[in-house]
């Protein structure tokens, strides 16, 4: 995997490591684009905490900030970085399949 793809995957994994960020992503996936205030109304997280989580999610490329009415920023999901992380995991799984099959045959034999 290319270094830039690995860096993208790392940012995604860091972002997904926090349950609050996963909750923000799940809310956006379920309800579509939203502001930090909208998300604070739906989640048991303060608006300030949501804003910090959204900033990290934006750095990871998982959300895109779009200007809205009255200077309100709406956030929407971007699946491209998640696809890079999925490809990283798929490649890792392929690398493990051979050695695990060999171990299984050795232990069964």
């Amino acid at each position: 995997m290319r270094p830039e793809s690995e860096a993208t995957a790392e940012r995604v994994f860091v972002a997904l490591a926090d349950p609050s960020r996963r909750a923000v992503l799940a809310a956006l996936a379920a309800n579509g684009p939203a502001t930090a205030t909208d998300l604070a109304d739906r989640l048991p997280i303060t608006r300030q905490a949501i804003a910090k989580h959204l900033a990290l999610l934006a750095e990871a490329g998982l959300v895109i900030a779009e200007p809205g009415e009255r200077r309100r920023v709406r956030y929407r999901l971007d699946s491209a970085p998640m696809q890079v992380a999925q490809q990283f995991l798929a490649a890792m799984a392929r690398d493990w399949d051979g050695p695990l099959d060999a171990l299984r045959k050795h232990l069964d034999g």
Side-chain angles (χ1 to χ4, degrees):
M1 184 169 255
R2 297 181 321 232
E4 62 271 9
S5 295
E6 285 191 29
T8 297
E10 181 178 352
R11 285 190 300 273
V12 169
F13 296 140
V14 167
L16 295 177
D18 184 275
S20 294
R21 287 192 288 275
R22 292 193 304 270
V24 168
L25 289 174
L28 291 171
N31 302 304
T35 65
T37 302
D38 296 335
L39 291 165
D41 290 343
R42 293 182 198 139
L43 299 169
I45 308 169
T46 66
R47 189 201 164 294
Q48 292 81 5
I50 286 176
K52 288 181 182 180
H53 289 305
L54 285 168
L56 196 142
L57 291 168
E59 283 179 30
L62 293 169
V63 298
I64 296 174
E66 299 175 330
E69 58 191 50
R70 295 189 211 126
R71 299 185 336 159
R72 293 181 63 168
V73 177
R74 295 179 67 78
Y75 293 87
R76 69 173 174 83
L77 295 178
D78 184 356
S79 64
M82 190 72 78
Q83 292 170 354
V84 171
Q86 288 174 324
Q87 292 168 352
F88 177 85
L89 290 173
M92 257 183 133
R94 281 191 305 272
D95 290 346
W96 276 89
D97 286 345
L100 288 176
D101 285 341
L103 177 61
R104 185 177 301 112
K105 286 177 185 176
H106 175 74
L107 294 174
D108 289 343

